[in-house]
Amino acid sequence: MELDFGGIGKEYAVDRAHDLMAACRGAPFLINFGGDLRANRSPPHGAWQVGIERPDTERQATMILDLEHGALATSGDSRRYLLKDGVRYGHILDPRTGWPVAHAPRSVTVAASSCTEAGLLSTLALLHGAGAKEFLEQQGVRYWLLE
C-alpha cells in the first residue's frame, strides 16, 4: 500500500511558489508542476496557452485553453490506473467502498483562483462518478470533462 500526497500537496506547492514569485517579481509568470498551473497574469503576447491532454495518448492535446490569470488543475486516470482482465480501475477510490469510483469521467479540469481549490474540485468531481458534471455545475466554476 502507498499513500500519495500529490493529490493535494502538489497544488498547495504551486500556490506557495506562486506567492513567493509574486512577492519578488513583477513580470508575468506561469507556475507548472506537472500540469497543475497558476499564473499571475498574461504575458505581453496574450494569454498563456495550456493544452488539456486527451486520455490514453502520449501528450496529445485534445483542446487548448487560454489562461490569463488564476489556476488550472486536472484529475483523471490517464496515467494512474490498473488494467486487470480487460477492466480499467482508476486510482481515485470511493471512500465508502474502497474501490475505484465507477462511471467517473476520464479527466476533469477545473479553473479557480488558486491551484489548491482547482485540484480539490477536480478530484471531488471524480468522486461523484457519473454525477461529476452536476457537482461542478453546482460549484459555479469553469470546467472541462473528458469521458
Side-chain angles (χ1 to χ4, degrees), residues 64-87:
I64 304 292
L65 306 177
D66 287 340
L67 178 64
E68 295 179 2
H69 61 86
L72 291 174
T74 301
S75 297
D77 72 354
S78 263
R79 306 255 187 303
R80 295 179 176 177
Y81 65 92
L82 169 70
L83 189 60
K84 182 165 173 45
D85 299 327
V87 178

Side-chain angles (χ1 to χ4, degrees), residues 119-135:
L120 179 67
L121 289 171
S122 64
T123 300
L124 285 173
L126 284 177
L127 284 169
H128 279 82
K133 182 176 180 178
E134 291 76 20
F135 168 77

Side-chain angles (χ1 to χ4, degrees), residues 14 88 116 134:
V14 168
R88 183 185 187 99
T116 302
E134 291 76 20

Side-chain angles (χ1 to χ4, degrees), residues 82 84 87 89-102 127:
L82 169 70
K84 182 165 173 45
V87 178
Y89 299 96
H91 73 290
I92 304 292
L93 303 181
D94 184 331
R96 297 167 297 186
T97 66
W99 284 91
V101 177
L127 284 169

Side-chain angles (χ1 to χ4, degrees), residues 7-93:
I8 193 71
K10 189 167 56 161
E11 289 92 346
Y12 176 76
V14 168
D15 288 337
R16 291 292 299 137
H18 171 275
D19 294 347
L20 290 170
M21 287 287 292
C24 65
R25 291 199 43 98
F29 60 84
L30 173 73
I31 307 288
N32 180 354
F33 284 15
D36 293 323
L37 314 167
R38 187 163 173 196
N40 67 334
R41 68 174 186 268
S42 295
H45 57 75
W48 300 98
Q49 301 283 294
V50 178
I52 303 298
E53 290 181 13
R54 180 186 348 245
D56 298 330
T57 65
E58 283 300 316
R59 313 240 187 257
Q60 283 185 320
T62 189
M63 66 184 85
I64 304 292
L65 306 177
D66 287 340
L67 178 64
E68 295 179 2
H69 61 86
L72 291 174
T74 301
S75 297
D77 72 354
S78 263
R79 306 255 187 303
R80 295 179 176 177
Y81 65 92
L82 169 70
L83 189 60
K84 182 165 173 45
D85 299 327
V87 178
R88 183 185 187 99
Y89 299 96
H91 73 290
I92 304 292
L93 303 181

